[in-house]
Amino acid sequence: MGKTLIIAEKPSQAREYAKTLGVKGKREGYFENDEYIISWCIGHLFELKAPETYMDLPKVGKRWSIRRLPVLPRLGEFQYGLKSGTAKQFKVLQGLLRSPEVQQVICGTDADREGQLLFQEVWDAVGSKKPLFRLWISSLTQEAIREGMSKLRPVGEVEGLAQAGYGRSYGDWDFGMNLTEGFTALFGSFDPVRKKPNVISIGRVQTPTLALVVEREWAIENFVPVAYVEVEAEFASGQGSYKGKWFDPAIKSARDKSQETANEQMMLDLDRGKEIVAKVQGKPGRIRSVKDKETKEPHPLLFDLTSLTVSASRRYGFGAEKVLKIAQSLYEKKAITYPRTDCNYLPPDMLPKLKAHLQALQQSPFAEWVKEALNSPLPGGKRVINEITAHHAIIPTTEKAALNLSPDERKIWEMIVLRFLCIWFPPARYAEKEVVTVVEEESFLTKGKTLLEPGWKKIENTEKHTEGSGLQLPLLAQNEVVETRSCQALQKETKPPKRYTQGDLIKAMEGAGKEVEDETLRRQLKGKGLGTVATRGAIIENLLDRGYLLQQQKVLMPTAKGTELIRLIKERLPRAQLLISAEMTGQMEYELAQVERGEMPLSRYMEKVEEAIRGIIEELRHYEATQGKKPLAFAPQKPGAHGRKRESNSERKPRESQTQAKSAKVGQESLALAAEDNLGICPSCGGGVVEREKGYGCQNWKDGCPFILWKNPICGKVLTPAQVKSLLKKGKTNLIKGFRSKNGKSFAAYLVWEDPSSGKLKFEFENNDRAKPG
């Protein structure tokens, strides 16, 4: 009788399969017994080859240029190469798949689109025709593996998933390879400080994510604070004192309809605030109404990867990629269920199993809560049991967590445990009181909130997310007369939007569909948005590595390079604006879902991808013919950047990062522009001006030329290479927005020479008024 070959995603997964199925024989690259052979991939064994593979290089040349593009292989013509260090394991898999001893094959890689793809690449490369089945599980416990083996899926059920995996891979390659070369040919240059090309990397998900951060930064730069006044009074009743804030009863209800509009209407200027204070100061008041109601706050939803990342970012400052790496490690240690999920719910068939998950948590510090939960009924309601996607929410497994968890792993695991425990407890109950006090026909609102029954909050208190009990109020009665003890006008001003943390950006990527007008696309983007739960952290890491973003403490800021790229696309390249819109990503995600369901052939999806790329390349070709080349700013030098720990080969990154990096290396020679490709002519000696680490200086500095433009901030802005180039050529920069005056007000101006030979500058405004030197 022949054997069954199971192919896992990586060795650790294969070991769990072997342990569960009693396969103890260890061979070179696989486990074996009389019934099973269990082998593994190492993440993706293959990668798509660079664009030069498809080019007639003697004809088009080795140098990156628009004339070499587009490169769009047809389906069936994409060429693969083995990744470095994977040839040995592929040879093992190839031998096993062709072995007459193997009767049937089970795909046991991670149960998602990318897991299916990395298996499919091997399967198709070997060309095996053996019977094929799919193992689909959500945890690596022995119970889950055995249940999955008893319910193997026929390969036809995941054929669409494999096609969608290829579509994602090919589409991202087409976008990344063509547009990175196209943008770099026009807007890249040689970085003399780093002694390497300044590659302008473009990605289907990476570029719109960068746009989110850049546009947030623009909103902050252009924000004009609005001063306003809040009037607060303190009242004395027979039972005690309390405070209230002035409000306009005529527009209070607008808060429920439009918070923003109501807030604007509630804002008082200083004169009106002082008028109210003078009017009510020391006057008696009357309590117009006292409203009491009881409210309930249900437990939070179980974690998906996004909500876990946001919570871990806020609580511990962990980056998105770090959270995924820790969660994946916990999954492989059988401590949690599959983490790469976008679902917050559990399926109905899991209900009978949930108490087994609880029993595994009978350890400090959870023992008392687990004991109470075990005596409670099974959790129900749509906040727990609901429609799921490919995988259910992240919960602890039925196995006791290993004792060898690292400190960071234990932090994430305990967050998941506490969130799981919350679903066994009733809602938190509050007594809410709303009091309206009237003085001289002016109304003041007071709100109080008292926690009556903590319910699940006694668990959540451990997570440090509770808001506490709220304001305690004295016993007050309707029509009671009170004394206005004091009243004051508090001067405040509106605040600009906050910069993104990694957790905030992950959430914004997931909800990018809010800005899409098409309702069908909005539904498709819900829970998906830009990228997938598995790739969003790596996308942010790519933006940091490629010099588009900087992280300062917990917040993300765009660099000059990132800002100039998005401004260029928004202002000069209308067709390329697809690259910074959630709509484009949503449309591609929607169509990939159609491919997965068998509603659209992969060929049609690729036709749409190719049409978009051809349009953008044609636009770049026109730009080159009419505008020429325009180098963007260099990425900033980051201390210790070269020491950043890279992912192992077994950790899956977006395809656009893997293949673009290799293609960029292939094209190094084509981008190594000569150092004499400088920014312009030195106004002091006529030499060439080049960018250095701390400023823009003359190449003849060794011969005594004093010209230098330092990279010191001028009213908050640092000169970019493009601005220096304009200054050297025209005597003035383009209009620069986002300068900040001493009082914090934003303004726009040109920079012009005051003394060109010494590099001194001054402002010029659009009405030609001259200002102080910059």
Side-chain angles (χ1 to χ4, degrees):
M1 183 176 176
K3 298 183 179 182
T4 296
L5 169 63
I6 303 174
I7 298 180
E9 184 153 331
K10 53 184 81 169
S12 59
Q13 194 179 52
R15 283 193 292 271
E16 295 304 325
Y17 293 162
K19 183 178 178 181
T20 301
L21 299 174
V23 183
K24 298 181 179 179
K26 182 71 170 69
R27 308 287 186 265
E28 188 67 31
Y30 60 97
F31 300 97
E32 184 179 21
N33 68 4
D34 292 339
E35 187 177 357
Y36 293 105
I37 299 173
I38 302 175
S39 190
W40 54 86
C41 300
I42 316 168
H44 283 281
L45 299 183
F46 288 90
E47 61 187 356
L48 291 166
K49 290 185 176 180
E52 284 78 7
T53 307
Y54 309 94
M55 295 177 181
D56 183 354
L57 291 179
K59 181 178 179 181
V60 301
K62 294 183 179 180
R63 186 185 182 92
W64 279 14
S65 69
I66 298 294
R67 74 188 189 93
R68 304 198 320 167
L69 304 175
V71 180
L72 299 169
R74 294 182 178 276
L75 284 176
E77 294 179 357
F78 280 92
Q79 296 187 36
Y80 285 87
L82 283 166
K83 294 175 66 176
S84 175
T86 67
K88 183 177 179 181
Q89 188 60 23
F90 174 67
K91 190 174 181 180
V92 170
L93 290 173
Q94 185 179 49
L96 294 173
L97 285 167
R98 291 176 175 173
S99 171
E101 194 177 14
V102 172
Q103 185 179 30
Q104 65 177 8
V105 180
I106 296 173
C107 171
T109 52
D110 281 355
D112 59 16
R113 189 168 68 190
E114 208 65 22
Q116 188 67 36
L117 175 62
L118 65 89
F119 167 83
Q120 206 72 33
E121 290 168 344
V122 173
W123 178 260
D124 291 344
V126 174
S128 178
K129 302 297 182 184
K130 297 179 186 293
L132 177 61
F133 299 91
R134 187 49 157 113
L135 173 63
W136 196 271
I137 56 177
S138 289
S139 80
L140 289 175
T141 64
Q142 293 190 18
E143 180 185 9
I145 293 169
R146 289 193 187 100
E147 183 177 356
M149 289 293 291
S150 69
K151 299 177 181 178
L152 292 173
R153 297 185 178 188
V155 68
E157 289 189 13
V158 294
E159 186 176 347
L161 189 67
Q163 290 289 295
Y166 275 127
R168 197 280 309 154
S169 177
Y170 296 158
D172 284 359
W173 188 95
D174 281 352
F175 269 96
M177 294 298 125
N178 283 278
L179 300 184
T180 294
E181 177 166 339
F183 272 77
T184 303
L186 263 63
F187 310 115
S189 58
F190 185 78
D191 186 339
V193 175
R194 297 169 184 75
K195 302 291 189 293
K196 65 178 183 180
N198 182 33
V199 175
I200 310 301
S201 173
I202 300 293
R204 179 180 65 91
V205 179
Q206 169 189 292
T207 307
T209 301
L210 172 62
L212 288 175
V213 182
V214 170
E215 287 169 353
R216 174 61 59 87
E217 193 69 20
W218 286 340
I220 294 169
E221 288 177 356
N222 296 324
F223 180 79
V224 178
V226 176
Y228 68 98
V229 167
E230 278 187 358
V231 177
E232 184 179 88
E234 182 177 359
F235 303 107
S237 73
Q239 300 296 321
S241 63
Y242 64 98
K243 292 182 178 180
K245 286 185 180 179
W246 178 91
F247 75 99
D248 185 342
I251 61 173
K252 179 177 178 293
S253 61
R255 289 185 181 274
D256 299 327
K257 300 175 183 176
S258 173
Q259 182 71 47
E260 184 178 350
T261 302
N263 284 342
E264 289 176 358
Q265 291 175 330
M266 285 289 191
M267 289 180 183
L268 295 169
D269 60 35
L270 184 59
D271 290 341
R272 172 68 174 129
K274 287 180 177 178
E275 178 186 317
I276 295 171
V277 170
K279 185 177 179 182
V280 307
Q281 192 74 265
K283 301 291 178 65
R286 180 179 61 85
I287 296 177
R288 174 185 291 166
S289 63
V290 178
K291 294 180 181 178
D292 290 293
K293 66 176 180 178
E294 183 177 309
T295 60
K296 294 181 180 181
E297 184 180 350
H299 61 73
L301 298 177
L302 292 167
F303 281 127
D304 64 357
L305 183 57
T306 298
S307 56
L308 177 64
T309 301
V310 172
S311 294
S313 174
R314 288 175 180 168
R315 185 169 181 186
Y316 298 117
F318 288 172
E321 195 172 20
K322 180 174 182 177
V323 175
L324 175 57
K325 186 175 182 180
I326 292 171
Q328 183 69 21
S329 177
L330 289 170
Y331 169 67
E332 292 171 12
K333 291 181 176 181
K334 298 184 287 184
I336 64 171
T337 57
Y338 188 67
R340 299 170 189 256
T341 175
D342 60 356
C343 182
N344 301 98
Y345 307 110
L346 301 175
D349 62 3
M350 281 201 69
L351 266 177
K353 307 172 186 176
L354 290 185
K355 291 212 170 182
H357 291 259
L358 265 183
Q359 289 165 345
L361 302 174
Q362 291 178 313
Q363 55 183 282
S364 179
F366 317 118
E368 288 301 315
W369 295 322
V370 169
K371 183 178 179 182
E372 187 175 347
L374 284 170
N375 292 323
S376 302
L378 292 171
K382 291 187 176 181
R383 294 184 68 80
V384 179
I385 305 300
N386 210 324
E387 183 179 346
I388 68 165
T389 53
H391 292 279
H392 58 66
I394 307 170
I395 62 173
T397 65
T398 55
E399 302 207 6
K400 292 187 180 295
L403 298 176
N404 62 341
L405 297 183
S406 71
D408 285 348
E409 286 174 339
R410 185 159 291 278
K411 288 175 182 175
I412 297 297
W413 179 72
E414 288 189 354
M415 287 179 65
I416 294 166
V417 168
L418 292 170
R419 184 59 61 92
F420 176 66
L421 288 172
C422 285
I423 70 173
W424 296 85
F425 290 82
R429 291 174 49 242
Y430 290 93
E432 291 188 354
K433 187 184 292 287
E434 183 177 291
V435 179
V436 176
T437 306
V438 179
V439 185
E440 296 294 312
E441 299 183 348
E442 300 293 346
S443 300
F444 294 82
L445 181 66
T446 305
K447 289 186 176 182
K449 186 176 181 180
T450 304
L451 182 64
L452 300 176
E453 173 62 45
W456 63 270
K457 285 274 186 178
K458 58 183 160 187
I459 308 295
E460 202 222 28
N461 277 335
T462 311
E463 287 191 273
K464 301 179 182 178
H465 290 305
T466 186
E467 298 176 358
S469 297
L471 178 66
Q472 301 288 333
L473 297 178
L475 185 63
L476 302 171
Q478 188 170 344
N479 295 320
E480 181 179 353
V481 176
V482 296
E483 173 193 346
T484 306
R485 182 172 289 174
S486 66
C487 188
Q488 57 183 330
L490 305 174
Q491 296 189 50
K492 300 187 176 184
E493 65 177 26
T494 55
K495 303 294 183 185
K498 293 182 179 180
R499 291 188 173 96
Y500 289 113
T501 64
Q502 285 206 31
D504 293 335
L505 184 55
I506 288 282
K507 197 170 182 180
M509 292 170 74
E510 182 181 54
K514 289 185 295 185
E515 297 179 3
V516 177
E517 294 183 5
D518 185 276
E519 187 60 35
T520 304
L521 292 179
R522 185 184 289 114
R523 287 197 301 269
Q524 181 64 22
L525 272 170
K526 187 178 180 181
K528 290 184 176 141
L530 302 177
T532 68
V533 290
T535 61
R536 289 174 188 138
I539 291 294
I540 296 173
E541 192 73 9
N542 288 341
L543 289 167
L544 290 164
D545 284 344
R546 292 168 182 173
Y548 287 126
L549 296 181
L550 286 174
Q551 181 153 342
Q552 296 187 353
Q553 295 181 329
K554 289 185 179 181
V555 299
L556 296 167
M557 298 175 63
T559 63
K561 178 180 178 179
T563 301
E564 286 186 18
L565 174 60
I566 300 304
R567 192 185 301 282
L568 171 75
I569 293 172
K570 284 183 74 72
E571 297 180 358
R572 308 298 296 274
L573 299 169
R575 282 191 181 181
Q577 287 179 21
L578 284 171
L579 296 170
I580 58 175
S581 74
E583 185 173 357
M584 184 274 287
T585 299
Q587 183 65 33
M588 293 188 72
E589 192 63 48
Y590 174 71
E591 288 165 359
L592 277 175
Q594 288 182 305
V595 172
E596 185 172 326
R597 295 191 298 267
E599 297 168 2
M600 175 186 284
L602 178 55
S603 58
R604 177 60 183 143
Y605 171 77
M606 293 305 301
E607 285 173 8
K608 294 189 173 189
V609 169
E610 292 166 4
E611 182 181 357
I613 291 168
R614 286 193 179 95
I616 296 172
I617 292 297
E618 186 58 37
E619 183 173 60
L620 293 177
R621 190 172 282 114
H622 177 74
Y623 186 98
E624 182 181 39
T626 57
Q627 306 291 325
K629 298 182 179 182
K630 181 184 178 182
L632 298 185
F634 298 134
Q637 187 71 38
K638 293 185 291 183
H642 298 295
R644 185 188 294 275
K645 186 176 179 181
R646 307 303 303 169
E647 280 192 333
S648 70
N649 195 35
S650 62
E651 293 177 284
R652 302 181 310 198
K653 274 199 161 188
R655 172 76 65 170
E656 66 183 34
S657 73
Q658 296 172 346
T659 51
Q660 281 179 220
K662 184 169 183 178
S663 183
K665 185 176 180 181
V666 170
Q668 288 272 328
E669 300 84 1
S670 74
L671 288 171
L673 307 177
E676 53 266 21
D677 283 354
N678 52 62
L679 298 173
I681 298 173
C682 172
S684 179
C685 74
V689 176
V690 296
E691 183 181 18
R692 298 195 178 93
E693 185 174 359
K694 296 183 179 180
Y696 304 92
C698 181
Q699 290 176 321
N700 296 332
W701 64 274
K702 289 184 179 180
D703 298 326
C705 180
F707 178 81
I708 184 77
L709 283 172
W710 298 107
K711 290 183 179 178
N712 298 327
I714 302 171
C715 289
K717 303 291 287 186
V718 177
L719 280 172
T720 67
Q723 291 162 352
V724 172
K725 194 170 184 178
S726 176
L727 191 63
L728 294 169
K729 184 178 181 180
K730 303 175 184 177
K732 67 189 293 186
T733 65
N734 294 329
L735 186 67
I736 301 174
K737 299 178 181 179
F739 287 116
R740 286 277 177 184
S741 64
K742 290 181 180 179
N743 63 9
K745 187 175 180 181
S746 177
F747 67 93
Y750 303 94
L751 286 174
V752 300
W753 293 120
E754 179 177 84
D755 180 2
S757 61
S758 64
K760 287 186 178 180
L761 303 171
K762 58 186 174 185
F763 292 120
E764 179 181 292
F765 297 93
E766 290 186 278
N767 60 6
N768 292 323
D769 289 339
R770 299 290 171 129
K772 294 181 182 179

